[in-house]
């Protein structure tokens, strides 16, 4: 009996190990494909009752990644990336550039990054195969290890490893956001628009040196994998309110924590949006701790409660 | 520009023109609009129309040509730096961080659709009885999204004045928009942590 059990162990382990590796290998292939390949994808992004058609074009010129994201409906709203600079060109403001690895607002930037960084918070599990955008796709689930964050699933093109569909899900599998590729074109050469983007003289990267260092905030507790990304003090968008700001990230999910003097109008204790963005306010004496992010409100509440100053 | 000029523009757009004529064309500001129109027509035919429409291409192209060594515009070559600065002003490009203090950027990154707010042990009837304040934000697509929200149990028994509701909306808006904008700004911070070499190479490339 023992021998049989031992034998089963030996039989099972390599199989399980192989599956674990291959799910991650799929994701690593996607990461590489997103960075290396020349392609054009037409896609729709679904968030609650918003449906946005987008086009994303990616290529490499002179060993630099060049990409272009365009919103097809509504007023012009585009983003251009050359190397590590992303320029946002939007109808209602002057174009501005930021230093960034990816164009934010499409697939999570982590999808083109090192997936090992996500392993403390998530597991990668292979799913079934299905047909998407007229191509066979392989499902890979990115499952959170705890209840403090949302899960993701991504279908990859079997041929190119590029993403064909992306879902962001709550713990009870409620869909928060979906990106659905309708057409994937693998390009033989860098399209003209990227050459034009590469040659353009884009505005210089906005200087963030004006950011104050901020106070020495610490967290007594953070979900596994979350780390402090940025600390500063700045004035809140659209108001003169000055806040202490701490950015947290686990690689995919981002949380912003603000500490400010409580205003006359009290903030709601909890606010949940249908695309998964939540806001939680914790009042401490005269101060207000506001946590915002695409994570469950329970996480935000616990994070907001655990902040201390040294 | 006369009819002949229009033909020039058309030929230039199709790339059937030599460099000298191109430079002459560039010097003639009146024909720039035609230039853009022809390009737009060409783009439309090739199905590439919206990608470049909003960019002020003529200003950029003019700058590029002026910076090129040509015999047509030697005077302008003497002050290439001024030309560049001028162009940046023309294309509405202001690279300073203070821009982020403006509401415009924040407004365009806002994207909010609230369904409901969790309530701690509140009964259904209590929720129905209290009026739901509505928060309006400008989403990415340009239409207006109603956002309903409810405050915690403490406030539900109080009656809000209009000013309080407005101020609360503004504050929620400000926090959410700031969060969205920070996602764009912090995206580059991760470079710092993960790969210093990549970050170091940025100034070299630009």
């Amino acid at each position: 009996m023992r021998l049989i059990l031992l034998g089963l162990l030996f039989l099972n382990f390599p199989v399980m190990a192989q599956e674990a590796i291959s799910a991650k290998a799929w994701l690593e292939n996607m990461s590489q494909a997103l960075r290396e390949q020349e392609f054009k994808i037409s896609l729709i992004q679904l968030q609650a009752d918003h449906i946005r058609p987008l086009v994303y074009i990616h290529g490499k010129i002179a060993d630099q990644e060049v990409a272009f994201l365009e919103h097809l409906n509504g007023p012009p709203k585009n983003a251009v990336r050359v190397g590590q600079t992303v320029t946002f060109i939007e109808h209602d403001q002057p174009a501005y550039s930021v230093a960034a690895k990816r164009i934010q607002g499409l697939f999570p930037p982590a999808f083109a990054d090192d997936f090992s960084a996500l392993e403390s918070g998530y597991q990668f599990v292979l799913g079934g195969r299905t047909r998407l955008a007229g191509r066979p796709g392989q499902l890979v689930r990115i499952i959170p290890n705890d209840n403090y964050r949302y899960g993701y699933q991504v279908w990859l093109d079997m041929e190119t490893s590029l993403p064909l569909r992306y879902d962001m899900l709550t713990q009870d599998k409620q869909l928060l956001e979906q990106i659905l590729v309708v057409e994937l074109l693998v390009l033989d050469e860098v399209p003209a628009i990227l050459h034009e983007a590469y040659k353009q003289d884009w505005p210089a990267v906005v200087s963030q040196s004006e950011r104050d260092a901020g106070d020495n905030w610490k967290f007594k507790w953070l979900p596994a994998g979350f780390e402090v990304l940025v600390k500063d003090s700045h004035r809140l968008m659209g108001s003169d309110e000055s806040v202490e700001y701490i950015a947290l990230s686990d690689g995919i999910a981002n949380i912003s924590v603000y500490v400010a003097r409580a205003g006359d109008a009290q903030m709601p204790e909890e606010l949940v949006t249908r695309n998964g963005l939540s806001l939680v306010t914790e009042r401490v004496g005269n101060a207000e701790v506001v946590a915002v992010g695409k994570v469950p409100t329970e996480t935000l509440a616990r994070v907001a409660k655990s902040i201390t100053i040294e | 520009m006369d009819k002949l000029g229009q033909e020039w523009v058309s030929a230039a757009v199709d790339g059937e023109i030599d460099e000298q004529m191109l430079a002459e064309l560039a010097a003639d500001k009146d024909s720039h609009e035609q230039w853009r129109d022809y390009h737009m027509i060409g783009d439309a035919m090739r199905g590439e129309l919206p990608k470049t429409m909003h960019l002020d291409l003529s200003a950029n192209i003019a700058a590029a040509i002026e910076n090129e060594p040509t015999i047509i515009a030697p005077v302008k070559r003497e002050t290439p730096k001024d030309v560049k600065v001028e162009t940046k002003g023309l294309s509405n490009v202001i690279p300073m961080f203070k821009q982020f203090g403006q509401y415009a950027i924040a407004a365009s990154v806002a994207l909010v659709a609230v369904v409901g707010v969790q309530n701690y042990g509140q009964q259904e009837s209590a929720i129905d009885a209290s009026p739901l304040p509505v928060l309006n934000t400008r989403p990415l697509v340009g239409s207006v999204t109603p956002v309903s929200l409810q405050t915690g149990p403490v406030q539900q028994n109080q009656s809000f004045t209009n000013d309080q509701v407005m101020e609360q909306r503004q504050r929620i808006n400000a926090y959410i928009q700031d969060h969205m904008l920070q996602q764009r700004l912090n995206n580059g911070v991760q470079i710092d942590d993960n790969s210093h070499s990549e970050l170091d190479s940025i100034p070299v490339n630009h």
Side-chain angles (χ1 to χ4, degrees):
Chain A
M1 187 62 191
R2 267 190 189 182
L3 269 176
I4 294 167
L5 279 176
L6 263 176
L8 275 174
L9 268 176
F10 275 112
L11 275 175
N12 278 338
F13 263 107
V15 174
M16 281 167 69
Q18 203 178 21
E19 271 194 357
I21 289 165
S22 54
K24 198 185 165 194
W26 270 106
L27 294 174
E28 278 165 349
N29 288 343
M30 171 180 72
S31 168
Q32 195 185 358
L34 281 170
R35 278 179 282 126
E36 306 280 337
Q37 291 196 26
E38 261 129 36
F39 59 88
K40 175 180 175 180
I41 46 179
S42 307
L43 48 96
I44 47 171
Q45 185 184 39
L46 298 135
Q47 275 180 333
D49 45 1
H50 290 292
I51 299 174
R52 286 177 213 97
L54 301 155
V55 164
Y56 180 70
I57 306 169
H58 180 272
K60 281 192 112 173
I61 299 171
D63 226 33
Q64 287 208 76
E65 280 181 72
V66 184
F68 181 71
L69 177 70
E70 182 186 15
H71 288 248
L72 296 176
N73 285 5
K77 219 173 138 51
N78 302 339
V80 173
R81 171 183 174 220
V82 179
Q84 305 282 352
T85 307
V86 173
T87 307
F88 293 96
I89 309 147
E90 288 158 2
H91 62 103
D92 54 354
Q93 63 206 345
Y96 63 98
S97 301
V98 298
K101 276 178 148 177
R102 315 291 309 171
I103 295 176
Q104 207 265 333
L106 190 63
F107 299 107
F111 276 20
D113 215 325
D114 181 10
F115 274 90
S116 303
L118 302 182
E119 278 178 321
S120 54
Y122 302 88
Q123 281 176 40
F124 314 127
V125 177
L126 268 188
R129 287 174 183 177
T130 186
R131 192 164 157 271
L132 290 156
R135 307 169 77 102
Q138 167 70 51
L139 167 64
V140 181
R141 290 195 172 89
I142 302 171
I143 301 168
N145 288 335
D146 49 40
N147 285 327
Y148 296 121
R149 57 204 111 205
Y150 294 133
Y152 307 86
Q153 45 194 27
V154 59
W155 281 261
L156 307 176
D157 180 35
M158 305 272 288
E159 190 189 321
T160 61
S161 298
L162 288 166
L164 293 177
R165 177 179 156 187
Y166 156 82
D167 290 355
M168 182 181 178
L169 305 161
T170 61
Q171 294 291 352
D172 43 3
K173 300 274 181 272
Q174 205 191 326
L175 189 68
L176 294 171
E177 185 182 336
Q178 185 173 74
I179 293 173
L180 212 53
V181 172
V182 284
E183 190 182 28
L184 165 63
L185 291 173
V186 180
L187 305 172
D188 296 329
E189 55 184 25
V190 180
I193 182 131
L194 294 188
H195 278 293
E196 199 182 307
Y198 181 75
K199 278 185 277 182
Q200 281 273 347
D201 192 15
W202 298 112
V205 170
V206 287
S207 153
Q208 291 192 57
S209 55
E210 287 172 43
R211 287 186 154 194
D212 299 330
D215 283 328
N216 198 14
W217 298 101
K218 289 264 154 84
F219 291 90
K220 283 181 284 187
W221 175 87
L222 284 178
F226 271 93
E227 282 172 25
V228 175
L229 213 61
V230 178
K231 270 193 257 191
D232 73 5
S233 56
H234 64 257
R235 284 185 190 279
L236 217 51
M237 289 306 112
S239 75
D240 284 337
E241 209 171 329
S242 70
V243 290
E244 292 285 320
Y245 172 74
I246 306 111
L248 304 168
S249 177
D250 72 345
I252 295 189
N254 296 299
I255 301 177
S256 293
V257 183
Y258 300 89
V259 185
R261 210 163 48 85
D264 297 334
Q266 217 165 332
M267 293 285 288
E269 286 185 14
E270 289 192 5
L271 191 93
V272 187
T273 73
R274 231 185 299 170
N275 63 15
L277 191 69
S278 305
L279 181 147
V280 163
T281 310
E282 176 75 22
R283 214 175 158 133
V284 190
N286 276 339
E288 231 172 32
V289 181
V290 179
V292 189
K294 282 193 180 180
V295 291
T297 48
E298 295 76 22
T299 313
L300 294 178
R302 228 183 131 176
V303 166
K305 279 192 178 79
S306 75
I307 192 167
T308 57
I309 189 161
E310 297 231 319
Chain B
M1 213 59 185
D2 53 10
K3 203 128 198 214
L4 183 71
Q6 285 182 21
E7 278 165 28
W8 273 21
V9 178
S10 177
V13 169
D14 296 338
E16 295 162 357
I17 190 170
D18 61 56
E19 252 181 57
Q20 193 178 335
M21 287 168 89
L22 201 64
E24 269 178 50
L25 189 66
D28 177 15
K29 298 246 191 274
D30 294 341
S31 59
H32 286 189
E33 225 164 287
Q34 286 166 18
W35 169 279
R36 191 163 38 194
D37 289 347
Y38 282 121
H39 257 299
M40 228 177 252
I41 293 162
D43 286 347
M45 288 194 296
R46 289 187 295 272
E48 299 167 348
L49 183 58
K51 282 158 202 161
T52 50
M53 249 170 97
H54 60 285
L55 298 173
D56 192 357
L57 273 183
S58 58
N60 287 313
I61 289 170
I65 290 170
E66 275 165 5
N67 285 330
E68 266 171 23
T70 55
I71 29 164
I72 303 298
V75 186
K76 287 191 175 161
R77 275 183 58 216
E78 286 172 12
T79 55
K81 273 196 175 165
D82 293 348
V83 171
K84 216 174 176 189
V85 169
E86 214 178 278
T87 315
K88 285 209 165 156
L90 278 175
S91 55
N92 260 352
V93 160
I94 303 156
M96 293 308 294
F97 184 69
K98 65 181 177 189
Q99 283 296 307
F100 289 110
Q102 290 180 359
Y103 198 68
I105 285 177
S108 72
V109 292
L111 160 71
V112 190
V114 176
V115 248
V117 177
Q118 272 130 8
N119 281 272
Y120 303 99
Q122 285 284 311
Q123 287 181 354
E124 287 278 317
S125 57
I127 299 165
D128 294 342
S130 64
L132 280 173
V134 172
L135 171 73
N136 289 321
T137 56
R138 284 172 58 203
L140 282 163
V141 279
S143 62
V144 173
T145 316
V147 175
S148 61
L149 63 95
Q150 216 164 350
T151 49
V154 183
Q155 278 113 49
Q156 275 180 0
N157 298 328
Q158 299 173 356
S159 54
F160 284 113
T161 66
N162 264 352
D163 286 351
Q164 276 176 315
V165 172
M166 281 300 291
E167 201 190 325
Q168 192 189 46
R169 275 183 216 168
Q170 275 169 8
R171 294 195 70 205
I172 293 165
N173 234 350
Y175 276 114
I176 287 176
Q177 288 172 342
D178 195 271
H179 168 77
M180 312 279 278
L181 180 60
Q182 294 297 337
Q183 301 316 301
R184 288 184 173 180
L185 296 176
N186 297 343
N187 198 354
V189 176
Q190 283 160 332
I191 302 170
D192 259 336
D193 297 342
N194 299 338
S195 48
H196 282 273
S197 55
E198 274 182 72
L199 185 73
D200 290 341
S201 68
I202 294 172
V204 183
N205 292 332
H206 294 85

